Amino acid sequence: MKNFIDFHEDISISELDELLALAEVLKKKTKAGIPHPILAGKSLGMIFSKSSTRTRVAFEVGMYQLGGQALFLSANDIQIGRGETIHDTAQVLSRMLDGIMIRTFSHRDVVDLAKYGTIPVINGLTDDQHPTQALADLLTIKEHKGSLSGLKLCYVGDGNNVANSLLQACAKAGMHISVASPPPTRVLPFMLTRRKKMPPSQAPGSL
């Protein structure tokens, strides 16, 4: 797994299991005060076209705990989208950083950033998807329930980027998910279609 932009495209069932298991180990080490600088010497660029409290703090503190450095880049700090193309930005940042986290509006911008860059890209949120939130949700459920396979999740709320990502995340985790959203805030139709077309080998969960 090079990038983490889309649960459907970027992570397999086995990779999800490994990622959650690693997260549990690192979380326990953090609570126990055991250093785990597995990203020592690495730098993460954090592009924020959309501001956020939790996303910024989580990534910045996370990089610190892993021994790396996080560089905050607001829309006022870089020229992406205003005088500099995504292609140019991806190329420049790839020469100076080890990874990019971007929180923005257009999902296409994140895909293009990964396409034209040579370093890993993490989707911190777009209008369409929020995979890091869905991943954190799965970890929380696993901590409380012990395992994910066979569990039922009911999502009640706006059919937004979180709902879209949870559809894909639960499928990979072997969970059943029901979504109840008021109109006009329904999950994206193509997300439902894509989810229904996923074979059981790739998505053992149900909808």
Side-chain angles (χ1 to χ4, degrees):
M1 182 175 70
K2 177 187 176 183
N3 304 304
F4 188 43
I5 299 171
D6 182 324
F7 248 105
H8 178 76
E9 301 284 349
D10 297 323
I11 188 168
S12 67
I13 296 173
S14 60
E15 287 172 333
L16 176 59
D17 290 340
E18 292 171 4
L19 199 56
L20 291 172
L22 176 60
E24 286 186 292
V25 170
L26 297 180
K27 188 173 180 179
K28 288 176 181 177
K29 286 186 176 181
T30 298
K31 289 185 175 181
I34 302 173
H36 44 280
I38 58 177
L39 293 181
K42 302 295 184 180
S43 296
L44 175 73
M46 305 187 305
I47 301 174
F48 280 85
S49 299
K50 274 187 175 181
S51 60
S52 169
T53 300
R54 294 165 189 80
T55 303
R56 178 175 178 180
V57 173
F59 273 94
E60 200 157 330
V61 171
M63 280 299 291
Y64 173 78
Q65 292 173 342
L66 295 172
Q69 176 182 351
L71 180 65
F72 175 75
L73 300 169
S74 73
N76 295 324
D77 296 321
I78 57 177
Q79 301 300 313
I80 187 171
R82 49 187 184 92
E84 189 168 289
T85 65
I86 291 177
H87 176 276
D88 291 340
T89 300
Q91 292 289 309
V92 170
L93 295 183
S94 292
R95 291 194 290 268
M96 302 181 184
L97 298 168
D98 300 292
I100 299 170
M101 186 285 296
I102 178 169
R103 181 182 172 92
T104 189
F105 298 90
S106 169
H107 191 78
R108 183 76 248 173
D109 287 351
V110 182
V111 173
D112 286 344
L113 194 64
K115 177 182 178 180
Y116 298 121
T118 58
I119 56 178
V121 173
I122 300 171
N123 176 4
L125 175 140
T126 65
D127 288 345
D128 292 351
Q129 299 190 47
H130 199 351
T132 54
Q133 178 65 60
L135 183 64
D137 291 341
L138 291 186
L139 177 62
T140 299
I141 296 170
K142 188 172 187 291
E143 288 176 327
H144 285 274
K145 295 294 185 179
S147 63
L148 296 174
S149 182
L151 293 181
K152 296 180 180 180
L153 176 67
C154 179
Y155 177 95
V156 180
D158 290 346
N160 54 18
N161 44 21
V162 175
N164 292 331
S165 287
L166 280 173
L167 281 176
Q168 316 302 323
C170 287
K172 293 290 177 75
M175 298 172 63
H176 174 84
I177 181 171
S178 298
V179 178
S181 298
T185 61
R186 298 282 174 81
V187 294
L188 295 174
F190 87 88
M191 286 287 185
L192 289 173
T193 301
R194 187 171 70 171
R195 167 63 191 89
K196 291 175 181 178
K197 290 182 177 180
M198 294 171 72
S201 61
Q202 297 178 11
S206 58
L207 176 63

